[in-house]
Amino acid sequence: MKIPEEKIKSVGLTLLYEPDGPIDPAVDIVLVHGMGGHPVKSWKCFDEGQTPTPITPTHPSSTRGKRLRKPPPASHQLRRTNSEPLLVKGEGFVNRSRSLLRKASFKSSSRLRLADFADQLNEPPRNDVFWPLDFLPQSCPNARIFTWGYHTLVVDKKPLRLQGDIFAHASEFLFELATARAALGAQARPLVFVAHSTGGVIVKEILRLADIERDGPLKDVLLSTSAVVFLASPHRATEHASLGDSVISMASVTLSVDQGDPVLPQLCGGNSVDIELGRQTFIRQWNEYNFCVKTFQESVIPSFADAGERAGATTRRLASFIGDPREKATTIGALHNNVAKFWSMEDTGYQALATCLAEFVWNEEHRRHVLDRKETECLAALIRSSLSHVEIHPAASYPGTCLWLYDLYDFQTWHNRSGPNKDKILWVRGESGCGKTILLRSLCRRLRRQWGPAGASIIRITADDYDNEAGVGPLCGSKVISPVSVYRSLLAQLFLQDPSLRTALLALYNQARADSEAFGDPQVLSFFSDYYINQPVKTPTRRTFILVEIPDEAGSVYVGEVLSGLSRLAQNTDFSICVTSAYHPEIELESTISIPMHIRNTDDILRFVSLNLMAEWDERNRTVMMIGRKAGGVFLWAEIVVNIVNAAILEGATQDLVEYTLQEVPGDLHGLYEWMLGTLNEKERGEALILFQWVILAAEPMRLNDLSVAVRLTDLDQFEHYKNLGPLMALHVGAPFSMRDLRQLRNSVITSDTPCQFHQWVRTRSIGLLEARSDGNESLGLQSVQPIHGSVRAFFLSGRGFACLTSGNSSVPPNLGTVDFLDISHYSLLRACLTYLNMRDFESLGQSSRPTAPQKSAPFRPLSTTANQRELVMSSYPFLQYAVSNLIFHLLAPTHFRYFLPQNELFLALSANKFRLWKRWTSLLGTYDPEAIMDLHSRTGSKTRGLMSPVYGARFRLERVLRKLGGLSAAGLRAKEEEKRGGKEKKKRGRGGWVVKGIMSPVTPILPVSGGGMGVGREKEWKPVREQRLELPGELLLDLPGGGEGSGMLSPINIGEPGGTCPRRGFEVGLAV
């Protein structure tokens, strides 16, 4: 919808064009003329009887003879530099004649000559061009176009005194623009200013005034500014003229007054300090808010006879250049007044301006881009399927802390993107527990509050595949030093705002790869390191902040790799990147701004201790300083010690006792943990050991209800079992029992029944090192139990914490290494999972029908009856979901099982009692197909994925066991179904069948006997309770005991063919190792 020219107001804001249809415009384009201009005439070319040739930026002499000039002023004594609305364009001959006759009637007829009047009647229609209405809606159809005008009065080529100066006009413009946008509900719509001549001073001033505001519609004008286009506007001082002189020179041209007029500097602000202040503020805002800036210069230097006029034209041209490479200045072949007027869309000046504006509109349209189906699939292939790292520290920081960061000069230059630090990474590093996570969260909240209304993108990433210098990482022994998860998360969050990234990833997604539904880690690493960070990246988002948190457990190799990759990204983009990690003094990079936090936060620690210490004695400050000095910059240490001291004060401790205790407390964080655990007695340490084994070594954060069952299932005598059975203790499943019998049968260490009681037990046994955290409005039983800080996990994974809990335990083997201890712990956790699946409560599982293989992703449809039943069972029993989903994780987590998987023992344990455990596990898992099971545990983001690396060989051995179990159980099920359909009783097989000895419950794996080979088929070591006769087709391998050539070897035998015989009955079915 276009507005007629006669309705354009000479003063104020006028809407020229608004797109039709339901689509919301992408941007608002606002045209601002200079002093002496007009909201129409400053942008309009007038036809003076000839058809002008389009202007081209050629040699200055090429513009001679052109009829492009502003109409001469009226002959009135008092002249306004902008006139009333123009005549209606395109009137017919009769109406035009009447208008001319009406005008002629007011003059003396003696002065009118008939020939002149006839010439006016025969005058052809004018071809005036107002490009904001005639051309711009075609070039930018999805933009709303405004023009703004203001008056500057001139009498006899002299400006009047006592009228508003340029800064008063800017203030009026800001209020009118903010009010109009608020009335139209477009406060957040991006703004693009197009300013001609001294109109650029007005635009800079309204941005400076908006910057002063804290919030509200005036502040929204600055936050919404997407781009500023200057057409021959003054920006800087030149070699022979100041910035104020350049402004006065341009104002004299647009006002058609003498440059030396004494009133002119007052009106245009040539002698005001606000001109320079506006320039400096604009440069700072350009760096901070990262809006786009484009400058156009007048390129025609007229051959004036007067040297002063030539110097003025040269000054104006040089002053219209900012001097920043980001502006990409373009020249237009025209004089100062005509630089904003274009005759046709083919005009090179208009094409340059329209291309620039169309690019701004395109960028804003892509900021609101909605993903199509193919892009959604590509993004799903990039995102990990597992949950991201869960933050475990309290969300709120203490009042008055973290404020020191924002006063640092290094931070301000990074934040404002000014000076040599604008392309560097802000690296906050410090000792574990010094408050880096709290600081990063405080920075994130501050950025969201300041930059959120401006449409900035704030990306938060937490590394979760780091390596560990102690040799045990999140994958429990699988060292991962490639920061793929950081790159994957970063690319996924940039996917929506970077059109070039979407195009490149879609091309990569369409290529053939091993996994058609997900990007592999090598593919993501290669794309990010070799392609994305090595090219200039430009996104429509004006500011992008990337906050990366690397846990303290990550090693120096990992941290260096992340910093190196992100440094190259920062140099090729406008992204502001902040990284937090452990101190790592061995890493020194010139591309980072290093801030050692444990040195800077001493005042925060003293403030916290002073506010929270409950001591009331006279020398309280001495105690505060003692805690602050001993903390050594570790905020968590001070927090824990203050809680301990407050508890002692409540019990009546004196100042001398408190200060003596403070001297005894170790000054390092791990030493403090060890000192706290040393207060437990032997029985409490045994219970705390089981608790920390589950919380620290679990594949995922455990809910409080699940942890309650898991702790009850875990045996206190795990080290005695290891002495007797070795690694095979993991497959030693006891007699089945029910949930009701759990406490009596397992001699449970827990006497609490409700979640509240168990939570109190957890807090007591962990000495406050564990806590229940909620992700939402969850009940207490559904909250996850996690360490209070990542340093607690590192303390136990290093072996120091577990060694403290096992001190004095005679059953623990001497000189037991950390890796061996963690392996024994996983044996115990695996045994608990198998014991739970063996309970009598799940006897109905796997009896009716076999599970089906999982289906590939498809549109949503209601769950089947089987799936509903499975979900109901899994949600009804605590710990069942965890035991089913993470059985293979605990099976492969021990180093011994990863390299030397006990295939025979695993087969016997899962196939015992008519494949009881196998059927229950696969029924709840949702599939019995070995390949589907392996794919389920090998998907991207699964903790088991790293344990199935070809380096270990466990995947092949495990898949072989699962394939044999699936085949045998399916054969037995088919035989049972055939008997049921035929209505016949099952016939006992003679020589054509095969006898498989039942495994006594509990399953007792057979250890190797000296001199008897390595098999499990030792008849003298089994105590079978009955024989099971199954019709098992195919060829099986038997472990034949005894001496001779067959000692300990596996021999094939045909058992499914008629007449097949077993040469040696009474031995169990085995698998080849």
Side-chain angles (χ1 to χ4, degrees):
M1 179 191 70
K2 297 181 181 180
I3 185 175
E5 284 189 23
E6 65 269 15
K7 293 185 179 181
I8 300 177
K9 297 180 295 184
S10 61
V11 177
L13 192 67
T14 304
L15 176 61
L16 298 180
Y17 167 76
E18 186 172 14
D20 297 328
I23 301 178
D24 190 41
V27 298
D28 285 345
I29 299 178
V30 183
L31 307 176
V32 183
H33 62 77
M35 298 188 67
H38 187 271
V40 175
K41 293 180 180 180
S42 295
W43 319 99
K44 186 173 183 178
C45 282
F46 293 92
D47 182 11
E48 299 184 8
Q50 297 182 11
T51 303
T53 305
I55 302 174
T56 56
T58 57
H59 192 270
S61 61
S62 63
T63 59
R64 298 176 182 174
K66 302 290 176 66
R67 303 297 298 275
L68 298 179
R69 61 179 181 271
K70 192 173 182 179
S75 60
H76 306 307
Q77 184 179 8
L78 176 61
R79 180 175 61 86
R80 288 192 310 182
T81 59
N82 43 10
S83 62
E84 297 302 325
L86 304 178
L87 294 176
V88 180
K89 183 179 180 180
E91 292 181 337
F93 178 81
V94 177
N95 293 335
R96 188 171 183 82
S97 301
R98 291 176 180 175
S99 176
L100 294 174
L101 289 174
R102 190 181 301 110
K103 291 177 61 178
S105 64
F106 291 98
K107 299 182 180 181
S108 173
S109 59
S110 61
R111 295 184 179 181
L112 290 177
R113 290 182 297 178
L114 184 60
D116 294 341
F117 182 71
D119 292 341
Q120 292 182 10
L121 293 179
N122 296 328
E123 181 181 352
R126 298 171 62 90
N127 295 320
D128 302 340
V129 176
F130 182 42
W131 64 266
L133 271 182
D134 297 335
F135 302 154
L136 193 57
Q138 303 178 42
S139 302
C140 303
N142 199 22
R144 197 166 54 172
I145 305 172
F146 292 87
T147 185
W148 182 71
Y150 58 97
H151 282 162
T152 304
L153 300 179
V154 175
V155 178
D156 294 334
K157 294 187 177 182
K158 292 184 178 181
L160 290 180
R161 297 178 181 270
L162 303 179
Q163 59 177 319
D165 61 5
I166 195 169
F167 303 110
H169 293 316
S171 179
E172 296 174 0
F173 180 31
L174 175 62
F175 280 95
E176 184 175 3
L177 179 62
T179 303
R181 284 167 57 85
L184 296 173
Q187 296 96 322
R189 181 176 294 132
L191 270 171
V192 176
F193 292 101
V194 180
H196 173 237
S197 187
T198 51
V201 178
I202 294 179
V203 171
K204 293 177 184 179
E205 181 64 14
I206 69 169
L207 295 181
R208 187 185 71 85
L209 295 176
D211 196 18
I212 300 175
E213 302 292 328
R214 292 183 59 88
D215 51 23
L218 299 183
K219 184 72 172 184
D220 290 337
V221 172
L222 172 62
L223 299 179
S224 301
T225 300
S226 175
V228 181
V229 179
F230 295 107
L231 298 172
S233 297
H235 298 298
R236 62 171 183 169
T238 62
E239 183 179 359
H240 303 290
S242 65
L243 176 60
D245 294 336
S246 302
V247 173
I248 294 173
S249 175
M250 293 185 182
S252 66
V253 173
T254 55
L255 283 169
S256 299
V257 298
D258 185 10
Q259 185 173 345
D261 191 289
V263 181
L264 187 59
Q266 301 176 8
L267 294 180
C268 65
N271 297 334
S272 174
V273 295
D274 291 337
I275 290 288
E276 179 63 24
L277 181 61
R279 185 194 69 83
Q280 296 178 2
T281 303
F282 180 78
I283 297 299
R284 176 181 60 81
Q285 292 171 340
W286 188 6
N287 292 322
E288 288 186 17
Y289 294 90
N290 201 32
F291 46 72
C292 299
V293 176
K294 178 68 176 179
T295 59
F296 290 89
Q297 300 175 279
E298 52 181 301
S299 65
V300 177
I301 305 298
S303 57
F304 294 124
D306 184 71
E309 294 182 355
R310 291 198 304 270
T314 304
T315 299
R316 291 191 296 271
R317 181 176 183 274
L318 295 177
S320 62
F321 180 63
I322 298 177
D324 192 295
R326 293 176 294 173
E327 63 178 323
K328 298 179 181 179
T330 303
T331 57
I332 297 179
L335 297 176
H336 187 76
N337 277 339
N338 295 329
V339 76
K341 300 177 181 180
F342 311 105
W343 268 106
S344 69
M345 297 184 69
E346 287 74 23
D347 191 312
T348 55
Y350 176 78
Q351 288 181 352
L353 176 62
T355 301
C356 174
L357 294 176
E359 181 181 357
F360 297 152
V361 176
W362 181 86
N363 289 338
E364 297 301 334
E365 289 175 344
H366 277 72
R367 286 184 60 191
R368 306 185 301 178
H369 178 72
V370 179
L371 300 181
D372 57 23
R373 182 185 61 82
K374 197 68 174 181
E375 292 172 337
T376 304
E377 294 176 357
C378 180
L379 181 60
L382 186 63
I383 298 176
R384 285 187 180 273
S385 57
S386 63
L387 295 176
S388 59
H389 180 75
V390 180
E391 297 179 0
I392 60 179
H393 205 279
S397 59
Y398 292 100
T401 60
C402 304
L403 300 180
W404 54 267
L405 175 67
Y406 312 125
D407 296 330
L408 296 179
Y409 173 77
D410 289 337
F411 172 81
Q412 292 176 354
T413 56
W414 171 84
H415 179 263
N416 298 333
R417 292 193 57 79
S418 59
N421 292 336
K422 66 178 183 178
D423 293 330
K424 292 185 177 181
I425 292 179
L426 184 67
W427 183 20
V428 181
R429 54 178 178 169
E431 301 295 337
S432 179
C434 65
K436 299 183 295 295
T437 301
I438 293 297
L439 180 68
L440 193 66
R441 191 178 293 110
S442 173
L443 175 60
C444 184
R445 288 198 302 268
R446 185 184 182 94
L447 294 176
R448 292 187 188 279
R449 184 172 59 251
Q450 179 178 357
W451 294 99
S457 175
I458 302 174
I459 298 175
R460 182 81 182 272
I461 302 172
T462 301
D464 60 357
D465 60 353
Y466 50 87
D467 68 317
N468 186 280
E469 309 231 311
V472 182
L475 298 180
C476 298
S478 176
K479 297 186 67 174
V480 181
I481 62 175
S482 176
V484 179
S485 70
V486 175
Y487 302 157
R488 189 185 292 270
S489 178
L490 178 58
L491 292 174
Q493 297 184 65
L494 290 173
F495 189 81
L496 287 173
Q497 67 183 64
D498 189 351
S500 61
L501 175 62
R502 286 198 300 270
T503 303
L505 281 177
L506 280 173
L508 187 64
Y509 179 74
N510 294 327
Q511 296 178 5
R513 57 186 181 277
D515 188 354
S516 59
E517 297 182 356
F519 289 111
D521 288 347
Q523 204 171 15
V524 174
L525 181 63
S526 175
F527 176 83
F528 184 86
S529 302
D530 301 336
Y531 170 75
Y532 188 68
I533 63 177
N534 293 325
Q535 62 176 355
V537 178
K538 185 175 179 61
T539 66
T541 306
R542 290 188 288 277
R543 284 300 298 270
T544 299
F545 295 92
I546 301 175
L547 310 179
V548 181
E549 180 181 5
I550 304 177
D552 297 330
E553 298 82 7
S556 59
V557 176
Y558 182 92
V559 175
E561 183 72 16
V562 173
L563 291 174
S564 177
L566 295 181
S567 296
R568 285 191 290 168
L569 180 65
Q571 293 171 3
N572 291 325
T573 64
D574 293 330
F575 299 162
S576 300
I577 304 176
C578 176
V579 177
T580 63
S581 73
Y583 186 59
H584 297 296
E586 67 277 8
I587 302 178
E588 293 294 339
L589 297 175
E590 296 182 356
S591 59
T592 62
I593 308 171
S594 177
I595 298 180
M597 185 173 179
H598 59 284
I599 299 177
R600 298 276 188 177
N601 67 346
T602 303
D603 291 341
D604 284 354
I605 294 177
L606 291 175
R607 184 182 296 108
F608 166 78
V609 176
S610 179
L611 291 175
N612 292 274
L613 187 64
M614 299 175 60
E616 297 180 355
W617 46 71
D618 296 336
E619 299 180 351
R620 181 178 183 273
N621 290 337
R622 187 176 71 179
T623 306
V624 171
M625 295 300 298
M626 182 181 297
I627 297 176
R629 286 195 301 267
K630 198 163 188 178
V634 180
F635 201 102
L636 182 60
W637 188 96
E639 182 181 355
I640 295 176
V641 170
V642 167
N643 293 334
I644 294 175
V645 172
N646 287 340
I649 292 175
L650 291 176
E651 295 179 359
T654 62
Q655 179 182 1
D656 294 338
L657 180 59
V658 168
E659 292 182 353
Y660 174 79
T661 303
L662 291 176
Q663 294 177 357
E664 295 295 325
V665 173
D668 64 296
L669 200 56
H670 285 191
L672 177 62
Y673 295 155
E674 189 172 8
W675 180 80
M676 295 169 62
L677 293 176
T679 61
L680 298 174
N681 58 39
E682 184 177 355
K683 181 177 180 297
E684 292 172 340
R685 286 200 298 270
E687 297 173 358
L689 174 63
I690 297 177
L691 177 62
F692 279 103
Q693 281 177 324
W694 275 109
V695 175
I696 301 299
L697 301 180
E700 60 188 43
M702 298 194 65
R703 295 178 177 178
L704 193 67
N705 289 340
D706 297 346
L707 184 62
S708 175
V709 176
V711 171
R712 287 186 170 96
L713 288 168
T714 308
D715 203 331
L716 284 170
D717 301 327
Q718 50 186 290
F719 295 101
E720 290 291 342
H721 285 286
Y722 181 76
K723 283 184 178 180
N724 298 329
L725 301 174
L728 297 180
M729 63 169 285
L731 304 177
H732 189 283
V733 184
F737 52 90
S738 64
M739 291 289 293
R740 182 177 300 177
D741 302 331
L742 179 59
R743 181 175 309 193
Q744 291 78 11
L745 291 177
R746 304 300 298 179
N747 296 321
S748 175
V749 298
I750 306 174
T751 58
S752 57
D753 295 326
T754 64
C756 184
Q757 293 174 343
F758 179 69
H759 177 254
Q760 185 62 35
W761 182 88
V762 169
R763 295 287 295 174
T764 303
R765 287 297 176 269
S766 66
I767 314 296
L769 298 181
L770 300 178
E771 62 182 356
R773 300 301 310 278
S774 174
D775 296 334
N777 299 323
E778 299 175 347
S779 61
L780 182 61
L782 299 179
Q783 296 180 10
S784 60
V785 180
Q786 302 178 36
I788 60 172
H789 190 263
S791 59
V792 177
R793 185 182 301 275
F795 172 64
F796 280 93
L797 288 178
S798 66
R800 190 173 176 181
F802 288 120
C804 180
L805 294 177
T806 55
S807 61
N809 191 343
S810 58
S811 62
V812 179
N815 301 324
L816 186 65
T818 302
V819 176
D820 293 334
F821 180 88
L822 297 179
D823 287 349
I824 296 175
S825 300
H826 280 291
Y827 298 147
S828 181
L829 304 187
L830 174 60
R831 183 169 180 265
C833 294
L834 292 174
T835 301
Y836 194 60
L837 289 175
N838 198 43
M839 295 181 67
R840 290 196 298 266
D841 299 68
F842 312 128
E843 289 181 354
S844 60
L845 295 177
Q847 299 297 325
S848 58
S849 62
R850 59 188 179 185
T852 58
Q855 301 294 327
K856 295 184 178 180
S857 58
F860 174 80
R861 57 174 59 91
L863 293 174
S864 63
T865 304
T866 303
N868 283 329
Q869 293 176 354
R870 184 168 61 250
E871 294 295 330
L872 178 61
V873 172
M874 299 275 271
S875 60
S876 300
Y877 291 89
F879 185 64
L880 184 58
Q881 174 74 50
Y882 180 91
V884 172
S885 302
N886 299 291
L887 183 68
I888 292 183
F889 172 81
H890 290 293
L891 175 65
L892 300 181
T895 306
H896 181 76
F897 278 7
R898 280 203 306 276
Y899 287 100
F900 310 101
L901 182 68
Q903 302 176 64
N904 287 319
E905 290 82 351
L906 179 61
F907 172 83
L908 292 170
L910 296 180
S911 63
N913 299 311
K914 300 181 180 179
F915 298 88
R916 176 195 294 165
L917 288 176
W918 167 257
K919 291 181 178 179
R920 293 181 181 181
W921 181 53
T922 54
S923 297
L924 293 171
L925 198 61
T927 179
Y928 69 95
D929 181 31
E931 294 184 0
I933 294 176
M934 301 305 291
D935 292 341
L936 188 65
H937 290 83
S938 301
R939 66 183 185 274
T940 302
S942 173
K943 286 295 185 67
T944 316
R945 178 184 177 90
L947 304 176
M948 292 187 177
S949 171
V951 176
Y952 309 119
R955 180 187 179 102
F956 167 76
R957 300 184 183 95
L958 179 60
E959 189 172 2
R960 187 179 180 205
V961 175
L962 298 182
R963 189 180 297 109
K964 185 62 67 175
L965 286 167
L968 296 180
S969 63
L973 183 60
R974 284 195 301 268
K976 184 176 180 180
E977 291 175 351
E978 290 177 0
E979 293 179 1
K980 184 177 180 180
R981 285 196 302 267
K984 300 179 180 179
E985 295 182 357
K986 184 177 180 181
K987 297 182 179 180
K988 295 183 179 181
R989 304 284 295 182
R991 295 177 60 87
W994 174 244
V995 177
V996 182
K997 280 198 172 181
I999 301 175
M1000 186 175 182
S1001 183
V1003 177
T1004 306
I1006 304 307
L1007 295 177
V1009 180
S1010 58
M1014 298 297 293
V1016 299
R1018 315 268 173 238
E1019 184 177 12
K1020 61 181 179 180
E1021 297 174 354
W1022 288 94
K1023 296 180 181 180
V1025 294
R1026 63 182 182 276
E1027 289 187 350
Q1028 302 175 12
R1029 296 181 178 271
L1030 300 177
E1031 186 179 80
L1032 305 178
E1035 180 181 87
L1036 291 182
L1037 299 178
L1038 295 182
D1039 187 9
L1040 304 179
E1045 298 179 356
S1047 177
M1049 303 299 292
L1050 297 175
S1051 304
I1053 180 171
N1054 294 326
I1055 62 174
E1057 300 178 359
T1061 60
C1062 174
R1064 305 184 66 171
R1065 289 186 181 274
F1067 294 96
E1068 289 70 31
V1069 176
L1071 290 177
V1073 181

